[in-house]
Amino acid sequence: MSAGYTVILEQLTGPQRGSETRLFDDEIYAFLEADQNLRFTDQQDLQDGESQFAVLNRSETDYIITATADNEFWINKRLVKSASLRGGDMIEFGENGPMVRYHRFDGILPLRWTVSEIASDSIAYLRFSRKPFTYRLRHAAAQFGGRLIWQTTIAYRVTVVVAILALAGLAYSQYQASRLLQERIEAGAGQLDSVAASLAKARDEALKPSDLVELRNDLSSQVSLNAERLAELERHSEAVKRVIRKSTEAVAFLQLEYSLRDIVTGNELRHVINRDGVPVMLPQGQPLLSLDGNGPVAKVQLTGTGFLLGGGRYLATNRHVALPWERGRYSGPISADVLEPVVSKFVAYFPNLQMPVDVSLKTASETADLAILAIEAGLPELDGLLLASGTPSVGEEVILLGYPTGLRSLLAQSGHEFVRQLEADKELDFWNVSRRLSDAGLIFPLASRGITARVASEALVYDAETTVGGSGGPVLNLQGEVIAINAAILPEFGGSNLGVPASKLAALISIKTKE
């Protein structure tokens, strides 16, 4: 027997599929039984029902196989009678006989087949078998899977099982996450429509060059009307004049900007931009928004009114001004388990103070439309407004201070020259306009006078003139005390307005003080 290498014949098909025969001897006989079993031996003894098919003779480098009698075999899909074998050769015995792969090893034989060798066997079968392709493909896949299970090491099999379980667990978790995401998307679809409508409304209310032209054309008459109204108000009594003069500097013009982001991914709601870089608009005039949008972050901007409380550390306003994403004209309700608001800027402008101050939500009432804002930096000494201790009477005169229509009303009072310069500079940015108004000393609340029509523990109804933007303004009695916080307009009741009684604000302040 020659030394130096060992051969393993691995049966890939037939009744003995998966069996291995190791060749050491110089001459080996291959016998093919009637049931297509293949047997290798170093003796020429025939058994019943079998015939000698081929002889394998060992050379210095490889075995040489020769078919006996009229037998034929295929090597790598090539019909031959005799051939010198090489490592990796595929031998098919007879027209329908089993297929065997020839493996040649120098030195120590492997204890187990590696995954790459198993894969190589399956690929070789797929390439060189003469069966139909679909049959070969199924057989190769089954052979690869079966051998991975039974012919690899226990450690490898355990690792594969653990990996499969891990993948199954990951797939299940991904399925659950996808299902929850789909539920959240469905739940948030209506909210996206609401936010889109809010942005469309805010866009319609934003200042445009045409608005400045209109303001400039009508400014004289508007200023004249405002001046006449204020003069009439001041002529009414010295008490009204004194209240307005004393309280004005404590009434703040509020500006707020916020966006919305997904609480799971952290992605912010963005505009969708087309190929031309233009935001895509829906048929109803609303912008198309998406958490995967390719445009700028969708930001809602709004204005409101607040007033300084005694002590000068906090501002009072409405809850729907401080938390506009909950309800109100700028947004429908936003579900906290889908989208969360991100306030990017919240500032307050006071009359006679040039620089704005940053504010943030301190607390909000759960039962009334009230909120308290904290002033982030110190203020020059300003006198806050005091809350009335008693309940107003029906028919009592009231004064309402605020910033109805926001920037538009302030511009209407600013004068021809200011509007002309703003129009020339084309600086209509939401933040820039208010800053320029403040620099010019043009931020002052409007005052209106009315009569209380109804007094109840939950609400105060009065007819002082106001509109959107005046929410959060103080409703004062003739002693300059806050009797209510302006909260809503009731046009269906002859232009009446609704205010939250000051007692509700006093209770909220008391709760916060105890905390």
Side-chain angles (χ1 to χ4, degrees), residues 153-184:
T153 64
I154 295 177
Y156 176 81
R157 281 178 266 176
V158 170
T159 302
V160 170
V161 170
V162 171
I164 291 174
L165 292 176
L167 287 173
L170 179 61
Y172 179 75
S173 64
Q174 288 294 323
Y175 165 75
Q176 290 290 81
S178 298
R179 185 176 62 83
L180 291 174
L181 180 60
Q182 183 62 33
E183 291 177 355
R184 292 175 58 250

Side-chain angles (χ1 to χ4, degrees), residues 104-413:
R104 181 186 181 283
F105 298 95
D106 291 311
I108 301 175
L109 293 175
L111 296 177
R112 295 279 183 179
W113 295 107
T114 64
V115 176
S116 61
E117 289 170 336
I118 294 174
S120 176
D121 287 344
S122 297
I123 293 172
Y125 171 79
L126 193 61
R127 288 180 59 197
F128 297 118
S129 173
R130 294 178 296 112
K131 301 289 185 182
F133 177 76
T134 54
Y135 176 88
R136 282 182 283 154
L137 187 61
R138 289 197 306 269
H139 183 85
Q143 180 190 71
F144 181 73
R147 293 183 65 190
L148 278 181
I149 295 174
W150 302 112
Q151 294 186 0
T152 51
T153 64
I154 295 177
Y156 176 81
R157 281 178 266 176
V158 170
T159 302
V160 170
V161 170
V162 171
I164 291 174
L165 292 176
L167 287 173
L170 179 61
Y172 179 75
S173 64
Q174 288 294 323
Y175 165 75
Q176 290 290 81
S178 298
R179 185 176 62 83
L180 291 174
L181 180 60
Q182 183 62 33
E183 291 177 355
R184 292 175 58 250
I185 289 174
E186 292 174 357
Q191 298 178 34
L192 292 182
D193 291 341
S194 176
V195 175
S198 302
L199 285 171
K201 187 177 296 182
R203 181 196 63 206
D204 293 339
E205 294 175 357
L207 291 172
K208 298 181 286 292
S210 59
D211 296 330
L212 292 182
V213 173
E214 184 179 347
L215 275 171
R216 185 160 47 83
N217 293 336
D218 298 339
L219 194 56
S220 296
S221 60
Q222 290 187 19
V223 170
S224 176
L225 289 174
N226 287 334
E228 290 176 6
R229 186 178 66 175
L230 184 57
E232 175 62 26
L233 192 62
E234 292 178 345
R235 283 195 299 269
H236 181 72
S237 70
E238 285 298 319
V240 172
K241 183 177 180 180
R242 184 186 67 253
V243 169
I244 295 174
R245 184 173 58 247
K246 182 179 179 180
S247 304
T248 293
E249 67 176 10
V251 182
F253 176 62
L254 301 177
Q255 283 188 292
L256 172 65
E257 180 181 79
Y258 72 91
S259 59
L260 296 168
R261 68 183 175 195
D262 187 282
I263 63 172
V264 175
T265 64
N267 293 340
E268 289 188 284
L269 205 58
R270 292 179 175 272
H271 290 273
V272 176
I273 304 297
N274 63 21
R275 293 179 179 178
D276 299 325
V278 178
V280 178
M281 304 300 292
L282 297 173
Q284 57 270 43
Q286 300 174 2
L288 178 60
L289 306 176
S290 171
L291 292 171
D292 300 317
N294 58 344
V297 174
K299 294 186 177 181
V300 180
Q301 299 169 334
L302 57 97
T303 63
T305 304
F307 61 92
L308 193 64
L309 295 170
R313 295 175 55 199
Y314 300 107
L315 287 169
T317 188
N318 293 137
R319 181 184 178 107
H320 77 262
V321 172
L323 301 170
W325 46 84
E326 291 184 340
R327 61 184 179 87
R329 70 191 310 268
Y330 287 95
S331 181
I334 298 299
S335 175
D337 60 351
V338 178
L339 300 173
E340 63 178 355
V342 180
V343 176
S344 51
K345 194 172 183 179
F346 199 179
V347 299
Y349 284 92
F350 287 90
N352 303 321
L353 292 182
Q354 189 177 50
M355 297 297 294
V357 294
D358 292 328
V359 296
S360 62
L361 179 66
K362 185 68 174 178
T363 187
S365 173
E366 298 295 333
T367 57
D369 190 6
L370 293 173
I372 296 176
L373 307 178
I375 298 174
E376 299 297 322
L379 280 175
E381 290 202 15
L382 293 177
D383 293 329
L385 302 181
L386 300 179
L387 305 184
S389 56
T391 302
S393 304
V394 174
E396 182 176 339
E397 190 169 5
V398 298
I399 302 167
L400 175 59
L401 298 177
Y403 297 89
T405 70
L407 292 174
R408 292 174 183 269
S409 67
L410 293 173
L411 287 173
Q413 303 172 75

